[in-house]
């Protein structure tokens, strides 16, 4: 029995962690999700190299998920984002297209994605890419190394300012 199930086996919402001053609970994020511009400095490294350094990110906030940061496509040097075949579909954002992320001989397969023609309300994502932080050497927000959301489907970035519990790990699919 997982913490999200009662004795009867029926789903119940997990108990959100109460945020402290300066923190955000992912349980206060909206559904459907929203896009929010950010000015923090975001630095991403792969293969021992900085592959993105920007203060022009947006993040997508969705109930139970850590924020997903989307960085401008032009923040990446040529050759770092390599388009690959295959798409997936998000009921809110539309059809996602994927990239291998490559630097200094290291390739992170399908580690980035974009929405070139997003649905209404998510237009800001059309010129941006999100990355799975767990497949990079490091991802930083204002100098803090982020931890990544469990599982291999979502790409949330967890900092000290974000509290859960977070969807994505074992036993959380029904949240």
């Amino acid at each position: 029995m997982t913490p999200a199930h009662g004795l009867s086996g029926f789903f119940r919402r997990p108990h959100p962690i109460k945020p402290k001053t300066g923190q955000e609970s992912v349980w206060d994020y909206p559904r459907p999700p929203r896009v929010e511009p950010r000015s923090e400095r975001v630095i991403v490294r792969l293969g021992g190299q900085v592959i993105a350094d920007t203060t022009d990110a947006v993040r997508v906030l969705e109930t139970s998920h850590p924020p997903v940061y989307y960085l401008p496509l032009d923040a990446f040097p040529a050759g770092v984002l390599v388009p690959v075949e295959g798409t997936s579909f998000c009921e809110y954002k539309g059809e996602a297209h994927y990239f291998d992320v490559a630097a200094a001989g290291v390739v992170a397969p399908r580690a980035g994605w974009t929405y070139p023609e997003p649905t209404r309300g998510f237009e800001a994502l059309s010129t941006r890419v999100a990355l799975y932080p767990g497949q990079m050497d490091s991802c930083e927000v204002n100098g803090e190394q982020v931890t990544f959301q469990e599982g291999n489907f979502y790409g949330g970035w967890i900092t000290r300012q974000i509290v859960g519990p977070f969807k994505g790990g074992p036993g959380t699919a029904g949240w």
Side-chain angles (χ1 to χ4, degrees), residues 40-54 57 67-71 76 101 108 111-113 129-149 155-161:
E40 298 110 329
R41 185 174 185 195
V42 176
I43 300 174
V44 179
R45 291 179 179 82
L46 181 66
Q49 296 181 353
V50 172
I51 61 166
D53 185 344
T54 185
V68 176
Y69 280 77
Y70 286 77
L71 313 180
F76 295 84
V101 182
W113 68 98
V129 64
L131 302 168
Y132 287 109
Q135 293 190 41
M136 302 296 109
D137 291 350
S138 67
C139 296
E140 298 174 14
V141 176
N142 274 348
E144 178 185 349
Q145 176 144 346
V146 304
T147 57
F148 57 90
Q149 184 174 12
W157 294 35
I158 303 169
T159 62
R160 291 184 305 269
Q161 288 75 35

Side-chain angles (χ1 to χ4, degrees), residues 19-73:
K20 296 176 182 169
T21 301
Q23 291 184 318
E24 304 172 1
S25 170
V26 297
W27 293 93
D28 293 330
Y29 291 166
R31 190 165 178 90
R34 81 168 179 260
V35 178
E36 173 184 272
R38 303 301 288 188
S39 61
E40 298 110 329
R41 185 174 185 195
V42 176
I43 300 174
V44 179
R45 291 179 179 82
L46 181 66
Q49 296 181 353
V50 172
I51 61 166
D53 185 344
T54 185
T55 57
D56 181 25
V58 300
R59 62 183 193 163
V60 172
L61 306 178
E62 182 175 357
T63 305
S64 78
H65 299 276
V68 176
Y69 280 77
Y70 286 77
L71 313 180
L73 288 163

Side-chain angles (χ1 to χ4, degrees), residues 80-143:
V80 168
L81 300 174
V82 181
V84 295
E85 293 294 318
T87 62
S88 63
F89 185 78
C90 171
E91 64 184 305
Y92 300 114
K93 298 179 285 288
E95 188 176 74
H97 295 246
Y98 291 85
F99 298 100
D100 286 350
V101 182
V106 174
V107 177
R110 297 178 67 85
W113 68 98
T114 188
Y115 292 91
E117 296 178 19
T119 58
R120 201 172 103 208
F122 294 93
E123 294 88 355
L125 304 183
S126 69
T127 57
R128 297 175 182 278
V129 64
L131 302 168
Y132 287 109
Q135 293 190 41
M136 302 296 109
D137 291 350
S138 67
C139 296
E140 298 174 14
V141 176
N142 274 348

